Amino acid sequence: MRPEVTGTEGSGRTEGSGRTEGSGRTEGSGRTEGSGRTEGSGRTEGSGRTEGSGRTEGSGRTEGSGRTEGSGVEPSAAAPATRGGRARPGWLADLAMLPALLALVAVLAVTTDGLLTPSNLINVLSQSAVVAIAAIGATFVILTGGIDLSTGSVIGAGGVAGAAVLVGTGSLAAGVAAGLASGTLIGALIGLVVARLGVVPFAVTLAALYVVGGATTLLSHGRTIAPVPVGFIRFSIDGPAGVPYAVWLAVALYVVAQVALTRTAWGRRVLHVGANAEVARISGVDVARIRISVYAAAGLCSAIAGLVLTSGLAGAGAGMGGPLLLNIVGAVVLGGTRLTGGRGSLLRTGIGVLFLGFLANGMSLFGLPSFDQQMVTGAFIFVAAAANGVGSWRGRIRHTDRSIPKDAIDA
């Protein structure tokens, strides 16, 4: 008569289900614990795990979705999200705001006259070009968890510097170079203070808003620098297919910026710094250099926007960029870029820019006063910011739930 083996303990225990415990445990599902744990789903946990009175896990946990837990680094903007165990392409999440944009256009097209005429569509794109270009730099800054309130003043500084040299020398190249250099230098100085001195970005950029604005007013003697050459003005009027060169420039800059963010090591480091700066530093990322670079990029984009605005206004003044700050930051928020950093894209920001552009154009067609337009725009941005905050809160809750071991809950 064959005895029934119920289990043997010591160096190991064997059950009829094919499970071995001791120095290692094997289950029929393909799971091994001991020196490592492997599940059929393709999940690997740390270099070792000890269970008993306490539990020790390895340095990190990798799941099949491509997310690393324990290190605190979230997936990049280009990483596929998962829903129901199935991977979703990253660009699909970037289009989350597109239905709202299409709905807005549909409503305005029905309730107003002439919204979708070719001339009005070109007008919307032309008026949105300056905000779109400046919002590229703002997106980079916000992705690192920072904020830039000096954008309006840097737009004025870049435009005034470029116009002053252009009018004084008559050289278009010299004027453009002066404008770009001034904006980039201001942005780099702001980045140095934020990264090297550890000052809160809100305080630094708020101070820069006043300092740069005051200095630009002083150097320009409070006057508008005009007229600029006609050839420079035509940059915002003429262009292929009847679309101004300024719009084509904005589109080209978005393509370059999106590629830089999603296809380069620099872009991945920007996202990692925003997700968790301390872990990024431990991983070998020069966090200070990344922060300086994004503020310098923001200054460069603001200077380009200032030159484009100077072309459209046929002159430059110190305060011409101030009213644009709400729309620039609002476009980033409306697009869905996370204000705490680590998640976002230029595609989202571009949709946010178009949303605000059509909203402003529709309100103008309705004949709303400017103050009422500001209230409506602010309300939309408030709702978007609240939704952004709720999404971040729900993401933290899900992350916490996933980080709690199932056996700890069962216990």
Side-chain angles (χ1 to χ4, degrees), residues 133-282:
I133 294 172
I136 294 174
T139 301
F140 285 142
V141 171
I142 292 176
L143 282 173
T144 62
I147 190 68
D148 189 0
L149 302 179
S150 66
T151 303
S153 293
V154 179
I155 288 175
V160 167
V165 174
L166 178 59
V167 172
T169 64
S171 172
L172 177 61
V176 171
L180 299 183
S182 62
T184 306
L185 178 61
I186 294 170
L189 289 175
I190 293 173
L192 279 170
V193 175
V194 171
R196 299 300 184 186
L197 300 183
V199 184
V200 178
F202 181 89
V204 176
T205 56
L206 180 62
L209 169 69
Y210 291 105
V211 172
V212 174
T216 304
T217 302
L218 179 64
L219 294 176
S220 63
H221 304 287
R223 299 194 303 265
T224 299
I225 300 177
V228 294
V230 176
F232 187 66
I233 297 174
R234 298 185 71 85
F235 183 79
S236 295
I237 301 175
D238 297 335
V243 180
Y245 289 106
V247 176
W248 293 111
L249 174 62
V251 172
L253 289 175
Y254 265 80
V255 172
V256 172
Q258 180 70 4
V259 170
L261 181 64
T262 60
R263 295 290 184 264
T264 67
W266 178 82
R268 290 190 293 271
R269 289 165 184 165
V270 167
L271 293 167
H272 288 168
V273 169
N276 193 316
E278 185 59 32
V279 172
R281 183 180 293 107
I282 295 173

Side-chain angles (χ1 to χ4, degrees), residues 108-136:
L108 293 177
V110 172
T111 56
T112 61
D113 295 328
L115 178 76
L116 298 180
T117 60
S119 60
N120 189 66
L121 291 177
I122 293 176
N123 182 46
V124 171
L125 295 176
S126 299
Q127 293 180 347
S128 301
V130 174
V131 172
I133 294 172
I136 294 174

Side-chain angles (χ1 to χ4, degrees), residues 9 41 59 66 105 112 116 118 133 169 185 271 293 304 325 359 391:
E9 294 190 0
S41 61
S59 58
V105 172
T112 61
L116 298 180
I133 294 172
T169 64
L185 178 61
L271 293 167
S293 67
I304 296 173
L325 178 60
L359 179 64

Side-chain angles (χ1 to χ4, degrees), residues 1-18:
M1 181 176 183
R2 188 179 60 182
E4 180 182 358
V5 180
T6 59
T8 304
E9 294 190 0
S11 60
R13 188 175 83 186
T14 305
E15 294 182 4
S17 61

Side-chain angles (χ1 to χ4, degrees), residues 58-119:
S59 58
R61 166 173 154 180
T62 305
E63 295 185 6
S65 62
R67 169 167 181 155
T68 302
E69 293 183 11
S71 64
V73 180
E74 298 189 359
S76 67
T82 59
R83 188 180 185 91
R86 293 176 297 178
R88 292 186 302 169
W91 58 264
L92 191 59
D94 293 338
L95 297 178
M97 189 63 184
L98 184 59
L101 172 62
L102 296 178
L104 175 68
V105 172
V107 170
L108 293 177
V110 172
T111 56
T112 61
D113 295 328
L115 178 76
L116 298 180
T117 60
S119 60

